Amino acid sequence: VHRFRKIIFEKQWFYLDNAIGHVYGTTFEVTSGGNLQPRREVEETTTDTKEAGTDNRNIVDDGKSQKLTHDDIKALKDKGIKGQEIVQQLIENSTTFRDKTEFAQDKYIKKKKKKYEAVITIVKPSTRILSTMYYAREPGKINHLRYDTLAQMLTLGNIRAGNKMIVMETCAGLVLGAVMERMGGYGSIIQMYPGGGPVRAATSCFGFPKHFFNNLHEFPLSQVDSLLSGTFSTEMLPSEFEDNALVEEESNGLIDEKQVSIQETEEESITATAMEINQTEEQETMDINAEDIEFKDNKEKDNKENVREKQRKQWERRKKLIEAAALLREKNADGLIVASKFHPTPLLLSLLEFVAPSRPFVVYCQYKEPLLECYTKLRERGGVINLKLSETWLRNYQVLPDRSHPKLTMSGGGGYLLSGITVVLDKGKSDSSNLEALKMEEPSSKRCKVQDLQC
């Protein structure tokens, strides 16, 4: 929680300062100025109007049923009237409210409460909450990965405490956070990332304790091929950084020296002219000169400190890179999770090299066709069993007294999963033996026909 930070959520703005120190699940009311105040236990609003119609067939939504205008509601808000009272007035000024069925009345009250009652409950972040929120609000950021599909990934990947997992995802860190949550801080995770660095925006929303990140490593995808071929070296990357840092340091030093020398000559001429004029002015210029030189000295110190800080960060990054490379070289990962916007085939074929035999792997893709190609390539390559391409189907139900039914809006698709288990790949097998194996897999009737033709 950040102090003095304005939060905007569902057209409501507030500050979380007053929420610090309260337990998760506390309900707050947004008061004037965006401050949060713990809400007292309030009894349910009892509307005196218990009359209800038998059906809604005669109700026409023409926008004329509400007597209160937008300006009237705004005036009520400006007066400081609470949302609960505004909802009551909306009910009283609605000409069609009494004609609605009891269920429609409840729905109307619930809708108006959500709009006008500024009530917020702070809940503990979890995979379920975050995945539901991302899928509902920003599905593009997580490649349209639906929450039930994510649950299937965690199950099929056998994510548990003590595992050594490889995670490759471009879902803003949601999949990584889900794996970390299930592992509970035990075991190690190597995150493969494209580009300049790993993205962990969603991971930071989980609020994990610091020790969860102790065994979290990252490794760039661009270096995977060199690691597999044995040509990987961390010497090039840091040395380039060091050269750049030194060049920056030298250039900064040269620029500062030139500036100082120019200023010194200028200052000398100024002091010379000042001596000719009077001594008081000379004293003032000397004071200014001393201040300028001191300022320049401080600036040089700051630049050197910045360079040292950059070098320290570069060496830390190099150290982490070496640790991640050492973990991958062991080629004994307990599982592989892939959920990215890139084509899965080259990713999977290269990353499977780091997974130990008899371990699960799961690949997510928003579309079916790339996974079909991946399925075919894996079958040709071998080294995997129990290959399955699946799609989960989800239907939400409203469960309420006398009105339980499937919701009218349903998700069209939650993406596709390719899962399987690694086995030892015998690379010494010849093509003829593979053909024999394929013949043995064929049905007996078909095999007989082939033998007859050969005769």
Side-chain angles (χ1 to χ4, degrees):
V1 177
H2 300 277
R3 291 183 182 274
F4 313 113
R5 182 179 169 184
K6 192 176 184 179
I7 307 293
I8 300 169
F9 187 76
E10 294 283 352
K11 298 181 182 178
Q12 181 70 47
W13 65 271
F14 51 87
Y15 297 96
L16 288 171
D17 298 27
N18 294 343
I20 297 170
H22 288 275
V23 296
Y24 284 117
T26 307
T27 303
F28 297 92
E29 225 173 316
V30 182
T31 58
S32 58
N35 295 315
L36 297 183
Q37 294 298 331
R39 194 186 188 195
R40 297 172 187 172
E41 291 296 326
V42 182
E43 64 278 357
E44 286 294 320
T45 54
T46 55
T47 53
D48 297 332
T49 54
K50 282 291 179 186
E51 297 177 29
T54 54
D55 56 51
N56 299 325
R57 72 178 72 181
N58 296 322
I59 296 172
V60 181
D61 187 15
D62 54 3
K64 298 175 183 177
S65 59
Q66 183 55 248
K67 293 176 185 176
L68 287 178
T69 62
H70 181 72
D71 294 332
D72 295 334
I73 295 167
K74 192 180 178 185
L76 290 172
K77 280 184 178 179
D78 294 338
K79 285 179 185 176
I81 294 172
K82 289 186 177 180
Q84 188 178 343
E85 295 174 15
I86 294 173
V87 172
Q88 188 62 37
Q89 290 207 26
L90 286 168
I91 291 167
E92 289 170 2
N93 287 279
S94 175
T95 56
T96 57
F97 184 80
R98 292 173 185 272
D99 299 329
K100 293 175 188 257
T101 62
E102 189 181 342
F103 300 144
Q105 286 179 356
D106 289 344
K107 192 175 178 181
Y108 179 87
I109 293 167
K110 188 179 177 182
K111 184 181 175 183
K112 296 302 176 187
K113 274 185 178 181
K114 187 180 177 183
K115 189 172 182 180
Y116 296 106
E117 282 191 13
V119 178
I120 292 161
T121 304
I122 297 178
V123 294
K124 190 174 182 180
S126 66
T127 301
R128 183 184 181 88
I129 290 168
L130 285 168
S131 59
T132 307
M133 184 273 290
Y134 265 100
Y135 188 75
R137 298 173 69 87
E138 297 174 316
K141 286 191 176 180
I142 58 169
N143 299 328
H144 295 264
L145 174 64
R146 203 170 56 198
Y147 36 94
D148 62 307
T149 310
L150 177 58
Q152 288 288 315
M153 289 180 72
L154 297 174
T155 305
L156 292 168
N158 191 29
I159 312 298
R160 57 184 176 81
N163 269 11
K164 179 180 176 180
M165 296 300 303
I166 298 174
V167 178
M168 164 55 202
E169 58 112 290
T170 56
C171 298
L174 179 66
V175 177
L176 175 66
V179 173
M180 288 173 70
E181 183 188 73
R182 185 157 288 196
M183 289 176 66
Y186 298 95
S188 57
I189 302 171
I190 303 128
Q191 182 187 6
M192 315 300 291
Y193 65 88
V199 178
R200 294 171 183 165
T203 313
S204 60
C205 296
F206 280 83
F208 291 130
K210 197 174 181 181
H211 70 88
F212 271 52
F213 295 90
N214 292 342
N215 292 323
L216 175 60
H217 308 272
E218 61 262 5
F219 193 83
L221 274 177
S222 57
Q223 301 292 327
V224 169
D225 290 338
S226 62
L227 188 65
L228 288 170
S229 61
T231 58
F232 173 74
S233 174
T234 56
E235 294 301 322
M236 287 301 294
L237 196 65
S239 65
E240 285 175 8
F241 287 157
E242 284 167 22
D243 291 342
N244 291 337
L246 289 170
V247 166
E248 284 176 14
E249 189 179 6
E250 286 172 7
S251 63
N252 288 336
L254 287 170
I255 290 164
D256 290 341
E257 283 173 11
K258 285 177 183 176
Q259 287 176 350
V260 170
S261 62
I262 291 164
Q263 285 174 354
E264 280 176 357
T265 51
E266 288 176 357
E267 286 158 7
E268 283 173 5
S269 61
I270 289 166
T271 50
T273 53
M275 283 175 70
E276 290 175 2
I277 296 166
N278 57 28
Q279 193 155 353
T280 55
E281 287 183 6
E282 181 188 8
Q283 187 64 37
E284 287 174 5
T285 50
M286 284 178 73
D287 292 339
I288 291 165
N289 295 339
E291 286 174 7
D292 287 344
I293 292 164
E294 189 179 349
F295 174 74
K296 288 296 167 189
D297 290 340
N298 291 335
K299 194 176 179 183
E300 283 177 17
K301 285 178 184 175
D302 290 341
N303 286 334
K304 285 178 182 177
E305 283 176 9
N306 289 337
V307 169
R308 286 197 197 101
E309 184 66 21
K310 281 181 183 177
Q311 285 178 342
R312 188 181 63 79
K313 285 181 180 176
Q314 286 157 10
W315 280 108
E316 280 181 6
R317 187 180 175 187
R318 181 188 174 188
K319 187 183 175 184
K320 286 182 180 177
L321 201 63
I322 292 167
E323 288 175 2
L327 285 171
L328 288 170
R329 277 198 193 98
E330 293 171 2
K331 297 187 177 182
N332 63 349
D334 294 314
L336 171 65
I337 303 288
V338 179
S340 74
K341 59 187 176 183
F342 304 110
H343 201 290
T345 306
L347 274 176
L348 191 61
L349 291 176
S350 58
L351 293 179
L352 275 177
E353 298 290 330
F354 303 114
V355 183
S358 190
R359 300 296 192 276
F361 64 89
V362 190
V363 188
Y364 165 80
C365 189
Q366 189 184 349
Y367 308 104
K368 181 171 58 176
E369 289 75 17
L371 289 181
L372 285 171
E373 184 184 329
C374 193
Y375 180 95
T376 309
K377 292 283 183 186
L378 284 172
R379 293 286 291 177
E380 290 173 1
R381 169 186 175 271
V384 292
I385 57 168
N386 200 29
L387 266 182
K388 286 182 182 178
L389 180 57
S390 61
E391 179 190 16
T392 53
W393 190 71
L394 180 73
R395 169 175 274 180
N396 288 317
Y397 278 82
Q398 172 183 288
V399 180
L400 291 168
D402 300 326
R403 45 191 161 149
S404 294
H405 58 75
K407 288 193 176 179
L408 298 176
T409 55
M410 196 178 81
S411 171
Y416 299 85
L417 292 178
L418 177 65
S419 60
I421 296 171
T422 59
V423 292
V424 177
L425 177 62
D426 189 0
K427 295 180 180 178
K429 279 188 179 181
S430 62
D431 293 338
S432 59
S433 62
N434 286 338
L435 286 170
E436 290 295 327
L438 285 171
K439 282 180 184 178
M440 292 304 292
E441 285 179 7
E442 290 174 352
S444 58
S445 58
K446 191 174 180 180
R447 199 159 58 241
C448 291
K449 286 180 183 177
V450 172
Q451 288 171 357
D452 293 341
L453 286 169
Q454 286 175 350
C455 292

